Amino acid sequence: MSETPDSAVRTYIENHRAAFLQDLAEWLRIPSVSAQPDHAEDVRRSAEWLAGRLKETGFPTAEVWQTPGAPAVFAEWPSGDPHAPTVLVYGHHDVQPAAREDGWHTDPFEPVLQENRLYARGAADDKGQVFFHTLGVRAHLAATGRTAPAVNLKLLIEGEEESGSPHFRELIETHKDRIAADAVIVSDTGMWSKDTPTVCTGMRGLAECEIVLHGPDQDIHSGSFGGAVPNPATEIARLVAALHDENGHVAIPGFYEGITELTDQERELLAELPFDEESWLRTAKSHATHGEAGYSTLERVWARPTAEVNGIGGGYQGAGSKTIIPSSALVKLSFRLVAGQDLDHVEQAVRAWAAATVPAGIRHTVTFSPGTRPCLTPLDHPALRSVARAMGRAFEQPIRFTREGGSGPAADLQDVLAAPVLFLGISIPSDGWHAPNEKVEIDLLLKGVETTAYLWGDLAENWRDAR
Amino acid sequence: MSETPDSAVRTYIENHRAAFLQDLAEWLRIPSVSAQPDHAEDVRRSAEWLAGRLKETGFPTAEVWQTPGAPAVFAEWPSGDPHAPTVLVYGHHDVQPAAREDGWHTDPFEPVLQENRLYARGAADDKGQVFFHTLGVRAHLAATGRTAPAVNLKLLIEGEEESGSPHFRELIETHKDRIAADAVIVSDTGMWSKDTPTVCTGMRGLAECEIVLHGPDQDIHSGSFGGAVPNPATEIARLVAALHDENGHVAIPGFYEGITELTDQERELLAELPFDEESWLRTAKSHATHGEAGYSTLERVWARPTAEVNGIGGGYQGAGSKTIIPSSALVKLSFRLVAGQDLDHVEQAVRAWAAATVPAGIRHTVTFSPGTRPCLTPLDHPALRSVARAMGRAFEQPIRFTREGGSGPAADLQDVLAAPVLFLGISIPSDGWHAPNEKVEIDLLLKGVETTAYLWGDLAENWRDAR
C-alpha cells in the first residue's frame, strides 16, 4: 500500500502516541480546580505548563493572560499565507473538583491507563480535548511538509470555565483584536457515541429571570381572609400554567419571533441518529417524555426554544401546615433560545406577558440575569463542511450532525468576534464529565488528533480569503 | 322608674363591678403562657386559681382536669329543674406569649385600667370573656331570687388553646358524659364592633393537605433535557391553576356536594352589616378583593368554602439562578369548609382530582392532616334566638348575625357532644388579640356579664326539655 496523506498522518500519530499520552498525563496531574480557592496556585501552574508545552509544540507565541480570577492561555501560529483563514480554538484548562471519596476507583489526579482508556479528572473535560490540538498540528505539518500551519492558528484556553466563566466576556473583549478569527473551533463538547461520530452545529441560548408576586403586605390568616383576596402563591401558579398552551408551545406573545426554523434537511439528518428513547430517559432520570407537539425529543432539546421552571416558592414549605395566605411568591424561569431569537426581544415579551397576566391587587417584579445568545452554524457553511470532512477521514465513516441543548461561552465568542462557532469534540456520553472516574477513550482522543491534522489543510484549501 | 328584671341585673352588676375587675386583674397577673415550657407552672396556677374562684362563685363542682399537657378546668352547677336544658360554656385560661419589648406600653402581666379599658395579656383572649360568666351567673341568681341557675350550667375552660389544643379532642372524648350538654356556648370570639353587637352563627371547617409531585429521580440539567420531559414545578403550578374555574369556583368535582347554601334571609342579614371594604382591606393588608363570582366579600370569607395555597415550593429558590428541572415540587393546600360538607368526602374528591390532573411521567402523593368540621347553627334555633334576645336586652339594640371564617375546637365539641355551638363573645377587632397592648373594653365586658345574666333564664323558659 502506497503512502497516502492519511496514512502519513496516522504513522506520525502512532509514532508519537506514547509521548503524547505521557505529556497529557503530566498535565492531568496538576489539580487545576478553579472553583476551589486552595487550588488557585494549581490553576496558575496548569496555565504555565500549557503555555510552555505550546511553545515546545512550535507556537511562536504562547502567553498566560491574567484575569481578575484564574489565568487563560493564548497561543498563536501564523500561517504565513496572506489568504489563509484564521481559526481560534477554544477550550479550558481548569477542571471540576474531584476527591477519591466521591466514588473514584483511583486517585483523580493520578492518571491511570486501563483497557485503552485514560482515567483522570479532566481527561475528557477538557484537557484531553485541548491537548489533541498539539499533536494534531504537528501531524499536519509532518504530513504536508509545511513549517507553519495552513491556517492562522490561534488557541484561547480559559481557566474559569468550571466556575461559570465569570471573566471570560471581559477577557475576550479586552483581547478582541488578538483573538480575531474567521471561525471559532470549540473543543469542549462531545459526540453522539463511539460508533456514531457527530459534529455539533449549534447551542441554545439562555434567558433567565425571576418573577416575584406581592400580595398582602404580610402573611395573613387564611381563615379570616381566605377566598376573598388574591393569593400570590395561587397567582404565581396561574402565571406558570399560562406559560404553555395545550400543545406545549410557549404561549408568551412574540416569543417565537424571528426564530430560524429547522429545515427539512436538518430534521431528516436528526432523524437518522440512532436515538433510543428508553436509554435517553434513563440518562434523563425521567419517567416520560413531554413537550411541544409536532417535534421529536431530539428536536425539542436541541432545536426548539423552551420555557422551564427552575424553581418556584412561596408561603410555608416546612413540615405540617400553616393556615396563611402568603405575602409573596416567586418563580425562577429559564428560556432556552434558538437561532433568530433576540435576547432583548424575549425579555420584553416576557415582561409584557407578565404584566398582562398578573391580576389586579398583585404587584409584580421581573428581574432578568445577563443572557447567553444562541449559536448555530448553517449545514452548508464551508468551515462546517471542512470539519465534517476532516472528521470523516479520521473516523473513516460519514459524520452526522447534532446540536447542543445547553448554552455556553461559545456564544460570547460568536458575538464578540462576529465569527461562526464550530464544535469539534470527541468525548462520548459515558466519559463521566463532572462525575467520578472521568475518562477519555484513547482511540477517540487520537481521532481528535487526526481530525485536526486534516482540518487545517482542508479549511485553507476550501475557504481562502474567508474574511 | 320601677324596678324591672333588667334594672335589677344592672344594679347588681354595678354594685359588684369593682370587685369583679379586681378579681379579673388578679387572674391576669398569672402569666399562663401555654406555648412556653417555663410558664407550665403558671398555667397550672391559673387553672387552680380559676377552679377556686368558680367554687367561690357558687359552683358546687369545680375541678382541675389534667391532660398530657396543660390542665383544663371543669365546673358544674345543676339547676335542680329536671326539664332545664344543659349548657356547656367553652373558653380557655391560657394566653399568648407577651413581653414588654414586643411593643407593650405597660407590663403585659400587670393589668392597667385606663380610659375605661383594661390592658393586659388575656384581657380579651380569653380570660375576660371567661370571667364575665362568673359575675353573670351571680347577677342571674340575684335578679331572679334563685339559688341555682335556671339551666344546668357547665364550664370547660381549656389550658392549651393558644398551643393548638393538642389534647382537647382526647379530653372531651374522655369526659364526654360529664360535659354532655344540649348546647355549647363558646365565649372565645368577638363581635362586629362596639356599635354593632353581633352573634356569630358558625365557623368554617378545615381540610389541609400536602401534594408532592415527583418528576426526574434527581434535579436534571434544563439545557440538556429542558423542553422534552415533564417538569414537576410546572405541573404543580398547573395543578394549582386548575383548582378554580374562571369564576373563582373551586373546580374539584364533588367539592360542593352536600353544601348548605346561604338562605336569602342570611344573605340579607349579612348585607345589613356596616361593611366598609376599604377598611376591611386595610385589616387584610391586601390590595384588592378577589374571589368567587356572585358572592360578597363577607359571604366569601364566612359562608363559602375555599381552596387556598398556603405554600408552594420546588427547585431552586435562592439568589441568582440554577438551570435545573427540579426533581420534585410540593403544594400545601387548605380547604375551608361550610356546613353540609363532609371531611372524608372532600378528601376523596381532592385525591381523585389530583390523580386525574397530574400527567403521565409524574408520580404524586397526597397527604391529609386531621381536619376540623364546620359548624353552623340555624338562625331559627331556639338557643340561638335566646342568645340574641339576651344580648339585645343587654345592649338595648337589635343584634345582628355574623359568621367566622376560621376554624376551631368548637367544632370538636359540636362533634363529640352532638350539640349545637353558639358563640357569645363581646370582644371587638381593635382589642389586639395576640398583639401588644391587648385590652378589653370595660363597658363591653359588663355587657357580657349582663347578657349571661339574662341568657340562662331565657333558655330555660324557651327551650325546656331540650334533649
Side-chain angles (χ1 to χ4, degrees):
Chain A
M1 212 164 89
S2 71
E3 174 90 345
T4 66
D6 292 9
S7 65
V9 162
R10 279 176 202 139
T11 304
Y12 185 88
I13 294 171
E14 196 47 42
N15 291 341
H16 292 80
R17 168 195 174 115
F20 169 75
L21 291 176
Q22 205 173 321
D23 281 0
L24 174 55
E26 191 177 311
W27 193 21
L28 290 168
R29 279 190 197 99
I30 304 174
S32 49
V33 182
S34 60
Q36 296 175 336
D38 54 338
H39 283 293
E41 173 58 22
D42 293 319
V43 182
R44 197 197 55 71
R45 214 151 46 87
S46 162
E48 297 286 355
W49 186 95
L50 177 61
R53 191 54 39 130
L54 291 171
K55 282 211 163 160
E56 285 172 32
T57 299
F59 282 83
T61 305
E63 301 170 4
V64 173
W65 282 356
Q66 302 303 330
T67 77
V73 174
F74 174 74
E76 186 173 8
W77 196 338
S79 151
D81 175 353
H83 302 286
T86 302
V87 172
L88 177 74
V89 171
Y90 166 85
H92 62 91
H93 68 92
D94 63 321
V95 298
Q96 278 279 313
R100 189 73 186 259
E101 56 268 29
D102 295 342
W104 284 78
H105 302 316
T106 56
D107 184 334
F109 297 106
E110 187 48 63
V112 171
L113 197 62
Q114 205 171 25
E115 289 176 349
N116 216 23
R117 292 166 174 167
L118 183 64
Y119 289 87
R121 173 57 85 223
D125 178 21
D126 184 38
K127 285 174 174 168
Q129 303 203 95
V130 166
F131 209 58
F132 70 58
H133 285 279
T134 62
L135 185 56
V137 68
R138 298 277 0 152
H140 160 59
L141 300 182
T144 56
R146 301 181 57 99
T147 54
V151 298
N152 300 304
L153 187 58
K154 299 178 179 180
L155 265 69
L156 179 61
I157 311 301
E158 74 157 317
E160 297 189 307
E161 200 274 342
E162 300 296 2
S163 308
S165 303
H167 307 102
F168 187 66
R169 178 92 191 192
E170 189 187 329
L171 181 79
I172 63 177
E173 279 174 349
T174 304
H175 298 287
K176 191 177 165 175
D177 294 340
R178 295 201 61 194
I179 61 174
D182 299 302
V184 176
I185 305 265
V186 171
S187 283
D188 184 28
T189 53
M191 38 179 231
W192 182 265
S193 73
K194 199 165 177 166
D195 300 326
T196 307
T198 52
V199 168
C200 172
T201 64
M203 298 179 88
R204 294 196 286 191
L206 178 62
E208 292 170 294
C209 73
E210 177 180 281
I211 303 179
V212 184
L213 302 191
H214 301 273
D217 294 336
Q218 62 186 46
D219 292 353
I220 59 174
H221 195 287
S222 68
S224 307
F225 305 107
V229 297
N231 178 329
T234 308
E235 296 305 333
I236 205 90
R238 289 179 179 158
L239 191 70
V240 169
L243 265 177
H244 299 88
D245 69 14
E246 65 283 10
N247 292 314
H249 300 303
V250 176
I252 297 170
F255 180 74
Y256 291 99
E257 204 175 297
I259 190 179
T260 306
E261 297 283 354
L262 276 163
T263 63
D264 289 346
Q265 187 199 5
E266 281 174 288
R267 299 191 76 172
E268 278 163 31
L269 289 171
L270 293 187
E272 282 174 15
L273 288 165
F275 177 73
D276 174 37
E277 186 161 282
E278 270 187 42
S279 138
W280 184 86
L281 277 174
R282 274 194 301 278
T283 311
K285 298 184 190 304
S286 196
H287 301 276
T289 59
H290 176 85
E292 201 179 0
Y295 295 93
S296 72
T297 290
L298 285 183
E299 289 169 349
R300 286 169 177 170
V301 292
W302 287 348
R304 295 299 299 171
T306 63
E308 286 288 351
V309 177
N310 307 121
I312 190 168
Y316 184 68
Q317 300 175 43
S321 56
K322 195 173 177 189
T323 49
I324 54 164
I325 295 174
S327 170
S328 68
L330 67 83
V331 65
K332 288 179 186 276
L333 298 175
S334 64
F335 301 92
R336 297 286 166 173
L337 308 179
V338 302
Q341 283 181 298
D342 177 71
L343 276 174
D344 290 336
H345 177 74
V346 166
E347 175 172 338
Q348 291 319 313
V350 170
R351 288 183 183 280
W353 164 81
T357 309
V358 174
I362 297 276
R363 188 167 59 80
H364 77 283
T365 61
V366 181
T367 311
F368 271 82
S369 322
T372 304
R373 290 183 164 68
C375 56
L376 181 69
T377 304
L379 286 177
D380 58 0
H381 192 284
L384 180 62
R385 302 232 61 86
S386 286
V387 171
R389 216 158 28 226
M391 214 171 164
R393 280 166 70 181
F395 282 87
E396 296 177 280
Q397 61 175 293
I399 303 304
R400 299 178 188 277
F401 296 91
T402 64
R403 292 204 199 175
E404 164 61 42
S407 313
D412 283 324
L413 288 167
Q414 170 192 260
D415 209 29
V416 172
L417 304 186
V421 170
L422 309 158
F423 298 87
L424 171 54
I426 51 73
S427 181
I428 55 176
S430 61
D431 282 351
W433 290 34
H434 299 199
N437 305 305
E438 179 181 348
K439 53 90 178 162
V440 70
E441 306 269 334
I442 304 294
D443 287 350
L444 297 181
L445 195 60
L446 298 178
K447 294 290 184 200
V449 173
E450 193 178 341
T451 299
T452 58
Y454 303 137
L455 179 57
W456 311 138
D458 191 300
L459 269 174
E461 197 171 318
N462 294 292
W463 201 38
R464 295 183 68 78
D465 297 309
R467 234 147 309 177
Chain B
M1 210 163 86
S2 71
E3 174 91 343
T4 66
D6 292 11
S7 65
V9 162
R10 278 178 203 138
T11 303
Y12 185 88
I13 294 172
E14 196 48 42
N15 291 342
H16 293 81
R17 168 196 173 115
F20 169 75
L21 292 176
Q22 205 174 322
D23 282 359
L24 174 57
E26 191 177 311
W27 193 22
L28 290 168
R29 280 190 195 97
I30 304 174
S32 48
V33 182
S34 60
Q36 296 175 337
D38 54 338
H39 282 295
E41 172 60 20
D42 293 318
V43 182
R44 197 197 56 69
R45 213 150 48 85
S46 162
E48 296 287 354
W49 186 95
L50 177 61
R53 191 53 40 128
L54 290 171
K55 282 212 163 156
E56 285 172 30
T57 299
F59 282 83
T61 304
E63 301 170 4
V64 173
W65 282 355
Q66 302 302 330
T67 77
V73 174
F74 174 74
E76 187 173 8
W77 197 339
S79 152
D81 175 354
H83 301 287
T86 301
V87 172
L88 177 74
V89 170
Y90 166 86
H92 61 91
H93 67 92
D94 62 321
V95 299
Q96 278 279 312
R100 188 74 186 259
E101 56 267 30
D102 297 340
W104 285 79
H105 301 317
T106 56
D107 184 337
F109 296 106
E110 187 47 63
V112 171
L113 198 63
Q114 206 171 25
E115 290 176 348
N116 215 23
R117 292 166 173 167
L118 183 64
Y119 288 87
R121 172 57 85 225
D125 177 22
D126 184 34
K127 285 173 173 167
Q129 303 203 95
V130 166
F131 208 59
F132 69 60
H133 285 278
T134 61
L135 184 57
V137 67
R138 297 270 10 144
H140 160 58
L141 299 183
T144 57
R146 300 183 57 100
T147 54
V151 298
N152 300 304
L153 186 58
K154 299 179 179 180
L155 265 67
L156 179 61
I157 312 300
E158 76 157 317
E160 297 188 309
E161 201 273 345
E162 301 294 4
S163 307
S165 303
H167 307 101
F168 187 65
R169 179 93 193 189
E170 190 188 329
L171 181 79
I172 63 176
E173 279 174 349
T174 303
H175 297 287
K176 191 176 165 174
D177 293 340
R178 295 201 60 195
I179 61 175
D182 299 303
V184 176
I185 304 265
V186 170
S187 283
D188 184 27
T189 53
M191 37 180 233
W192 182 265
S193 73
K194 198 166 179 165
D195 300 326
T196 307
T198 52
V199 168
C200 171
T201 64
M203 296 179 89
R204 293 196 288 191
L206 179 62
E208 291 171 295
C209 72
E210 178 180 281
I211 303 179
V212 184
L213 301 192
H214 301 272
D217 294 337
Q218 61 186 48
D219 292 353
I220 60 175
H221 195 286
S222 69
S224 306
F225 305 106
V229 296
N231 178 330
T234 309
E235 297 305 333
I236 205 91
R238 288 180 181 157
L239 190 70
V240 169
L243 266 177
H244 299 87
D245 69 14
E246 67 282 12
N247 292 316
H249 301 302
V250 176
I252 297 170
F255 179 74
Y256 291 100
E257 206 175 296
I259 190 178
T260 307
E261 297 283 354
L262 275 163
T263 63
D264 288 346
Q265 187 199 6
E266 282 174 289
R267 300 191 75 171
E268 278 162 30
L269 288 172
L270 293 187
E272 282 173 13
L273 287 165
F275 177 73
D276 174 37
E277 186 160 283
E278 269 188 42
S279 141
W280 184 86
L281 278 174
R282 272 195 302 277
T283 311
K285 299 186 189 303
S286 197
H287 301 275
T289 59
H290 176 84
E292 201 180 359
Y295 295 92
S296 72
T297 291
L298 285 183
E299 289 168 349
R300 286 168 176 170
V301 292
W302 286 348
R304 294 300 298 170
T306 63
E308 286 288 352
V309 177
N310 308 120
I312 188 167
Y316 184 69
Q317 300 176 44
S321 57
K322 195 172 176 189
T323 49
I324 54 164
I325 294 173
S327 170
S328 67
L330 67 82
V331 66
K332 288 178 186 277
L333 298 176
S334 65
F335 301 92
R336 297 284 166 175
L337 308 180
V338 301
Q341 284 184 296
D342 177 71
L343 276 174
D344 290 337
H345 177 75
V346 166
E347 175 172 338
Q348 292 318 314
V350 170
R351 288 183 183 282
W353 165 80
T357 309
V358 173
I362 297 275
R363 188 167 59 79
H364 77 284
T365 60
V366 181
T367 311
F368 271 82
S369 320
T372 304
R373 289 183 164 68
C375 56
L376 181 68
T377 304
L379 286 176
D380 57 1
H381 192 284
L384 181 62
R385 303 229 62 84
S386 286
V387 171
R389 218 158 28 226
M391 213 170 165
R393 278 166 73 182
F395 282 87
E396 297 178 281
Q397 62 175 291
I399 302 304
R400 299 179 188 277
F401 296 91
T402 64
R403 291 205 200 174
E404 166 59 44
S407 313
D412 283 323
L413 288 167
Q414 170 191 261
D415 210 28
V416 171
L417 303 186
V421 170
L422 309 158
F423 299 87
L424 170 55
I426 50 73
S427 180
I428 55 175
S430 62
D431 281 351
W433 289 33
H434 300 202
N437 304 306
E438 179 181 347
K439 53 90 179 163
V440 69
E441 306 269 334
I442 304 293
D443 287 350
L444 297 181
L445 194 60
L446 298 178
K447 294 290 183 202
V449 173
E450 192 177 341
T451 298
T452 57
Y454 305 136
L455 179 57
W456 311 137
D458 191 299
L459 270 174
E461 197 171 319
N462 294 292
W463 201 39
R464 295 181 69 77
D465 297 310
R467 232 148 310 180

